[in-house]
Amino acid sequence: MKPNNLIAHRAFVASPETNARARQQALNAMPPLMALQDDLISYTSRGHLLILGPEDLIRLVADQIQGMASMTLLAMGSVSSQEDEHLERALQAAAHLTPIYLPFASLDGWLGAFNLRVTTPAGEQINPAEVSAGQDCFDLVLDLNEQPVLAAELSPPGYFHVGSQGDRLVDALEQLSGMVGEFEKPAYVQVNHDICAHADRGKTGCTRCLDVCPADALSTHTNTATHDAQISVDVHLCHGAGSCTTACPTGALTFAAPRPQSWLDRLRHCLDSYAQAGGERPAMLFHAEQTELDLQALPAHVIPVSLEEVGALGAEIWLSVLVQGATYVVLVTDATTPPTLLNLLQREVATTGRLLEALGHPAARISLMSAEQLSADLPLLNAQLEAWEGLPAGAAYPYQGKRKTLNEALDRLYEQGDGSDDPVALPNGSPYGQVLIYQTDCTLCMSCVSICPTGALRSASEEAPVLAFLEGDCVQCGLCEQSCPEKVITLEPRFAPAAGVRGEPRVMKQEEPFHCISCGKAFATQSTIEKISKKLEAHPYFQGDAAKRLKMCDDCRVRDSYRELAADPTAQLRL
């Protein structure tokens, strides 16, 4: 147990007015984000609209729409009402349009590029856009089915699912009128395949980003050079929700702009300005731009920070803000937060809370609230943490990628906390933990080292076979476990608070090298030679004197084989 290095409780002298002035100065001092970027995604919509749903509804709605280049109706499902008056009115609506009655097959795409397929009586799938819209795709889709045809939580741009809800229909019709022309958006997310833990050598590891994307914008594709699966971002579908960047344990998925380094610099500058203006006990409140908040009703020491999406920043930023002096961090969601993102944030906040408790800090220093909860829950949070002020801000450390930045923040919090050094168990799937190796059967083949995407498993010596492990870099992707030919590796999700346990490599197994009996070069381990000798003891190529080849390096084994062939050409028949 370490001594408690936390600041003792004291009476705070700054008044709410002083904190409010300091907060305003801090917000004014935040350098602007460079919103513009070179890598922009373009959409072109010519106004060719596809309307899907029951025939009565698609006719009635089509009669209300003007300003489209064309409208195509696809009848799906039963009519919504059998009342004679309703049916008569529907049949008279949009009389100039003839619906398509062929069975629906598929729909995919985005604004300006929706691909529809329907099935002919002969079983052939065709594209009706070529005839009805005069181009090979539709630009916009209005879906009146009760269940959406495209079921992503965040729909593709240009797709509107309204079902039978009148308020949604009014909003969709207003938006449709403005969605003809040229449009641009940022390419939000980029992938660094070099540090991605998704797959390698035919083995699948981490799938955290694929599991949480609310827009179905992430998929895998095969790299033609390596034949391995790689994460791919469909930039036309991506909404920049931030789920993938928050879930990614290695930082392989990041925002293209603003980058995490830019955000960390801005937040540090904000907190520094707040302190210089005399403010005390600052707290940070992260919310999405569209979240409606009464910012004036917030306590004076709470600094609101608007993000494009509340999931745009991850645990390494949250914890770095605490290290910089914030008393706590609150993430605010609202009714528009996708369920997948909400579930992810709940898990991430819960896991980060476990880490904080292990380090000797209240878990509530990272909290998740809905916009509706703020007025009731923020006072309770303040009361719960009233004896805690921000940690003394030490020298700022640079953003060195997600994992290194996270480890740096954890190390600083460990120094300031009074937690036990004993590791704590974490739920399966957590990106923290250790690798366990059954040493008796490990041959030190180093397959795990070659496939580890973060370098957590490494060869610790060039002179001797030594397998080492750095727990702070392990993201529990499981690639080492799957690639081990001897099946001696298992994973244990856990968190070790002590910086020395997480930050120092430890030897997992080591052996003296086995030296070639011919040239003396070290080329394997004793256990590897013993295992291979046992497996090949019945092989005809390694019988008699030839068995000694198993104890030779590759070069000497080839030379010995050629000497035998030269002396006895018929020896090749025994191979």
Side-chain angles (χ1 to χ4, degrees), residues 88-401:
E88 184 65 27
R89 185 159 50 90
L91 288 173
Q92 293 176 3
H96 62 292
L97 297 176
T98 301
I100 298 172
Y101 297 101
L102 294 175
F104 170 85
S106 66
L107 177 71
D108 57 49
W110 49 81
L111 177 64
F114 285 103
N115 299 300
L116 172 69
R117 291 291 184 271
V118 294
T119 306
T120 68
E124 179 186 3
Q125 291 189 4
I126 62 171
N127 174 17
E130 298 171 353
V131 175
S132 60
Q135 57 183 33
D136 60 1
C137 58
F138 295 99
D139 299 308
L140 300 159
V141 176
L142 182 60
D143 187 352
L144 304 180
N145 291 291
E146 281 297 326
Q147 298 300 319
V149 168
L150 298 179
E153 293 173 10
L154 295 178
S155 300
Y159 172 84
F160 300 89
H161 174 253
V162 300
S164 57
Q165 300 184 32
D167 55 343
R168 285 188 182 179
L169 178 60
V170 171
D171 182 61
L173 294 182
E174 290 179 356
Q175 293 188 58
L176 281 171
S177 62
M179 299 199 72
V180 178
E182 300 285 336
F183 304 89
E184 289 183 336
K185 73 168 186 181
Y188 294 108
V189 175
Q190 60 187 10
V191 186
N192 180 355
H193 295 293
D194 291 339
I195 60 173
C196 179
H198 172 57
D200 195 2
R201 304 185 186 187
K203 308 295 184 181
T204 300
C206 178
T207 61
R208 292 181 177 95
C209 62
L210 296 173
D211 298 335
V212 299
C213 178
D216 291 343
L218 296 180
S219 60
T220 60
H221 75 280
T222 302
N223 183 304
T224 55
T226 65
H227 303 290
D228 282 320
Q230 289 185 337
I231 296 295
S232 176
V233 181
D234 192 324
V235 293
H236 293 93
L237 296 179
C238 178
H239 284 252
S243 306
C244 58
T245 62
T246 298
C248 179
T250 66
L253 283 156
T254 58
F255 274 91
R259 296 180 182 275
Q261 175 66 69
S262 300
W263 266 117
L264 186 54
D265 290 343
R266 293 181 82 238
L267 296 173
R268 283 172 171 164
H269 188 70
C270 177
L271 289 168
D272 288 343
S273 299
Y274 180 88
Q276 292 168 10
E280 292 185 329
R281 300 189 74 247
M284 285 264 173
L285 184 148
F286 295 141
H287 65 93
E289 290 176 339
Q290 74 273 11
T291 303
E292 296 182 3
L293 296 176
D294 183 2
L295 301 181
Q296 298 302 317
L298 294 177
H301 68 284
V302 176
I303 305 172
V305 178
S306 175
L307 310 175
E308 184 145 0
E309 294 289 348
V310 68
L313 302 179
E316 84 280 15
I317 303 295
W318 307 341
L319 296 177
S320 293
V321 167
L322 295 183
V323 170
Q324 191 65 21
T327 308
Y328 60 87
V329 172
V330 175
L331 310 174
V332 180
T333 62
D334 59 29
T336 67
T337 304
T340 298
L341 176 56
L342 178 60
N343 292 336
L344 170 67
L345 290 175
Q346 290 170 340
R347 293 196 303 271
E348 289 289 312
V349 168
T351 300
T352 307
R354 295 284 296 275
L355 306 189
L356 285 170
E357 288 179 330
L359 294 165
H361 302 272
R365 295 190 74 183
I366 305 291
S367 298
L368 181 67
M369 298 181 188
S370 68
E372 294 75 20
Q373 289 177 293
L374 279 181
S375 59
D377 287 5
L378 264 184
L380 293 175
L381 183 62
N382 281 324
Q384 181 182 355
L385 298 176
E386 65 179 359
W388 296 77
E389 62 176 296
L391 299 175
Y397 44 86
Y399 192 92
Q400 306 172 69

Side-chain angles (χ1 to χ4, degrees), residues 414-425:
Y414 172 76
E415 294 170 1
Q416 296 293 337
D418 62 347
S420 167
D421 286 347
D422 296 334
V424 296

Side-chain angles (χ1 to χ4, degrees), residues 503-519:
E504 296 295 332
R506 63 178 184 264
V507 172
M508 306 293 284
K509 183 177 182 179
Q510 61 182 346
E511 289 186 19
E512 290 298 319
F514 185 89
H515 296 270
C516 175
I517 61 174
S518 180
C519 69

Side-chain angles (χ1 to χ4, degrees), residues 41 63 171 187 240 272 405 452 457 470:
I41 306 305
D63 224 24
D171 182 61
D272 288 343
T405 304
C452 180
L457 286 163
L470 183 62

